[in-house]
Amino acid sequence: MIRNGRIVTAADDFHGDIGIRGGRIAVLGQALPRGHREIDAEGRLVTPGGVDAHCHIDEPPYLNARLADDFRSASRSAACGGTTTFVPFINQLKGETLAAARDDYMRRAAPSLIDYGFHMILKADEPERIRTELPALLEAGLRSVKVFMTYDGYMMDDAQIMEIMEMVRAVDGIVMVHAENGHCAHHAVSKLHAQGRDGLSYFPETSPQAIEREAVHRAITLAELTDTRVMIVHVSGDEAMEQIRWSRARGHRTLAETCPQYLLDLEPHLHSDEWETAKYICSPPVRESARAGDLWRGLVQGDLDLVSSDHCPYRFEGDDGKKAFGEARLGQVPPGLPGLETRLPLLYQEGVATGRLTPQRFVELTATRPAQLYGLYPRKGSLMPGADADVVIWETGAPRPIRHADLHDACDYTPYEGHGVTAWPACTLSRGEVIWDAATGHVSDAHGRGQFIPGRRGEP
Ligand code: DUC
Ligand code: ZN
Ligand code: ZN
């Protein structure tokens, strides 16, 4: 029994108790009878566990660069940050069948502490394999794939993307699109190199908003032509968002995601050519326009559906992370920021504590909507009777600085070092089990208790 909390869901905000039985929510009410175990939530916020629908875990190395987190460390870190379900990517090895890649990721995920689903990243260089193998995987339950409009080996042409959209449409799944025009980005990098302007401070010039805006427009158009649900992932600025608004006004069901790194004002960290800048390099780049707050307005108005982390944990030190290629120059730094554990506290701080978002909208963006879109609702992202008892009890109070030393991932830095937050998960429950207790600093070591949750077909 979770007693006397301020219970916030995507719809409600009330004081009461939550009764849990057999790992599920049994009852919500007031003055409920005593439980076998009582958790005092007096004066505390209680929300559904977070659902992080975009994170990179244990993916194959990119040249010398290697992600620091496997499913053990990533799930531990997620739990301590209030996330009880994540949906990482299956990323196929060269020559591997798509089914073998899926089976491989099911094995890799076995030590997870929290529940999980999967999306699949599709690569450009094996169109025949996609053509022949993807329909069977979709039939077997895969609900979402990610395609890229940039990156060597990943960048697809429009026809290939349309073909994939048609396959995914057959199961009413979602095509996630990394929307940056790779041709334009390549051209910008070559030109900057030729001019000797290849320090890290030129990174924003390699992919300005126009490069994202054009790709978003194209992705939306391809989705319209194939009548497919498209998710524009990691929307970084107002220009991409304008395209999403435009397509919705025309009646299309375009979906969109952003991430904390695009909502906070990180762009000033890109002004130096020193290695330190590498800690803030992700694709698309963080934007100067974040200061204007347009993406926040998009979250309030519903132009954006969800906030994911895009956790991509390359270490800063060592020769297998941000410094893998040895030089602090354009094109030599693998893009990606860690953020699984900080996603919810940062969004709470910058959204709820500042008054930009209601607590309900915070829950909707970070738990309910991602669960709905990827077919995990109402088991996940909800506190309704029958749902999995995935619950976060929050501690709120004076600002506490984020310190990497206090986090639980396997990375060696956080881009948010020193950022003050006034809310932090005091206790995280997954299917009724306490997996994180901040009072004792204890994280469950029951690795392997996490379960694969198959995505249901279509939207609820
Ligand atoms: N961009 C991506 O597309 N993937 C991982 C990290 C990043 O910055
Ligand atoms: Zn991407
Ligand atoms: Zn990503």
Side-chain angles (χ1 to χ4, degrees):
M1 186 70 68
I2 298 174
R3 183 72 70 188
N4 283 333
R6 176 184 168 193
I7 301 166
V8 174
T9 67
D12 299 306
D13 184 349
F14 61 99
H15 279 86
D17 311 328
I18 303 176
I20 296 170
R21 184 178 292 126
R24 293 180 182 238
I25 307 287
V27 60
L28 287 96
Q30 286 172 334
L32 293 176
R34 272 196 77 74
H36 292 298
R37 180 172 175 196
E38 293 265 329
I39 298 178
D40 180 14
E42 179 71 47
R44 293 196 162 166
L45 193 68
V46 181
T47 65
V51 178
D52 194 337
H54 187 156
C55 40
H56 301 271
I57 302 169
D58 204 6
E59 289 186 22
Y62 167 58
L63 302 175
N64 298 337
R66 182 182 292 277
L67 296 175
D69 279 315
D70 58 14
F71 279 82
R72 184 176 282 268
S73 59
S75 60
R76 178 181 63 203
S77 178
C80 299
T83 288
T84 49
T85 306
F86 52 27
V87 192
F89 294 95
I90 297 165
N91 192 338
Q92 169 212 14
L93 299 170
K94 200 153 184 65
E96 201 177 32
T97 65
L98 299 184
R102 176 200 55 200
D103 297 345
D104 180 30
Y105 271 84
M106 291 297 276
R107 277 190 295 275
R108 287 173 196 240
S112 185
L113 184 59
I114 63 168
D115 293 347
Y116 50 92
F118 280 116
H119 316 292
M120 180 175 266
I121 284 177
L122 297 173
K123 293 183 178 145
D125 52 2
E126 291 195 285
E128 199 45 40
R129 188 183 288 292
I130 293 173
R131 212 166 279 142
T132 53
E133 298 178 10
L134 183 59
L137 252 73
L138 293 165
E139 248 343 286
L142 181 70
R143 288 285 164 266
S144 40
V145 300
K146 183 177 179 194
V147 299
F148 292 77
M149 293 173 138
T150 187
Y151 294 153
D152 292 340
Y154 289 86
M155 184 164 93
M156 290 185 182
D157 65 28
D158 298 348
Q160 201 179 353
I161 294 175
M162 285 176 81
E163 217 180 285
I164 290 165
M165 285 179 166
E166 282 155 358
M167 292 183 223
V168 173
R169 180 188 186 281
V171 297
D172 200 15
I174 292 179
V175 178
M176 307 162 80
V177 180
H178 181 120
E180 286 180 290
N181 183 321
H183 301 286
C184 300
H186 269 146
H187 177 71
V189 172
S190 308
K191 206 167 136 191
L192 287 162
H193 275 304
Q195 294 168 340
R197 299 194 301 150
D198 59 0
L200 297 185
S201 63
Y202 291 101
F203 178 66
E205 291 184 33
T206 64
S207 193
Q209 287 212 51
I211 281 182
E212 184 184 24
R213 185 190 70 216
E214 183 279 331
V216 169
H217 186 88
R218 195 153 34 98
I220 289 168
T221 305
L222 304 182
E224 176 184 339
L225 292 169
T226 57
D227 189 24
T228 308
R229 281 198 293 165
V230 68
M231 169 71 73
I232 308 297
V233 291
H234 45 56
V235 168
S236 72
D238 53 308
E239 297 193 25
M241 199 173 59
E242 228 169 41
Q243 296 297 310
I244 290 151
R245 225 181 271 129
W246 172 85
S247 80
R248 288 185 175 181
R250 288 166 56 91
H252 300 297
R253 50 182 181 168
T254 305
L255 303 168
E257 165 203 85
T258 191
C259 317
Q261 53 270 38
Y262 301 114
L263 293 162
L264 275 74
D265 186 16
L266 294 183
E267 189 273 342
H269 293 284
L270 295 179
H271 293 183
S272 149
D273 286 331
E274 299 297 316
W275 266 119
E276 191 68 13
T277 300
K279 290 182 177 175
Y280 304 91
I281 287 188
C282 56
S283 291
V286 297
R287 308 289 185 192
E288 198 179 344
S289 63
R291 284 195 276 291
D294 292 325
L295 291 184
W296 284 107
R297 278 189 285 283
L299 289 176
V300 173
Q301 292 166 11
D303 300 324
L304 300 167
D305 295 276
L306 60 152
V307 178
S308 310
S309 67
D310 198 4
H311 181 69
C312 189
Y314 290 116
R315 287 197 189 95
F316 181 60
E317 298 296 346
D319 56 10
D320 61 354
K322 289 287 190 180
K323 298 179 178 175
F325 310 116
E327 285 184 85
R329 294 198 311 135
L330 288 187
Q332 303 281 301
V333 175
L337 309 184
L340 251 183
E341 193 166 344
T342 48
R343 177 182 71 120
L344 295 174
L346 283 170
L347 196 73
Y348 185 94
Q349 179 58 34
E350 299 304 318
V352 182
T354 57
R356 288 161 161 147
L357 301 178
T358 63
Q360 291 99 317
R361 182 70 177 142
F362 165 76
V363 170
E364 187 173 33
L365 288 165
T366 56
T368 309
R369 202 67 192 122
Q372 288 173 336
L373 289 170
Y374 294 111
L376 308 172
Y377 184 86
R379 219 180 134 177
K380 304 296 184 187
S382 151
L383 293 177
M384 71 174 76
D388 282 351
D390 293 359
V391 186
V392 183
I393 302 170
W394 293 80
E395 197 177 317
T396 50
R400 272 175 48 185
I402 291 174
R403 301 271 177 230
H404 185 261
D406 298 331
L407 302 181
H408 300 78
D409 59 23
C411 206
D412 61 353
Y413 82 100
T414 167
Y416 311 107
E417 188 74 27
H419 195 102
V421 291
T422 54
W424 202 271
C427 182
T428 305
L429 289 88
S430 164
R431 282 181 276 107
E433 284 177 46
V434 174
I435 55 171
W436 161 242
D437 182 354
T440 58
H442 183 71
V443 196
S444 166
D445 58 4
H447 287 278
R449 64 170 299 290
Q451 294 175 2
F452 172 67
I453 312 288
R456 295 187 345 177
R457 209 166 168 136
E459 264 185 279

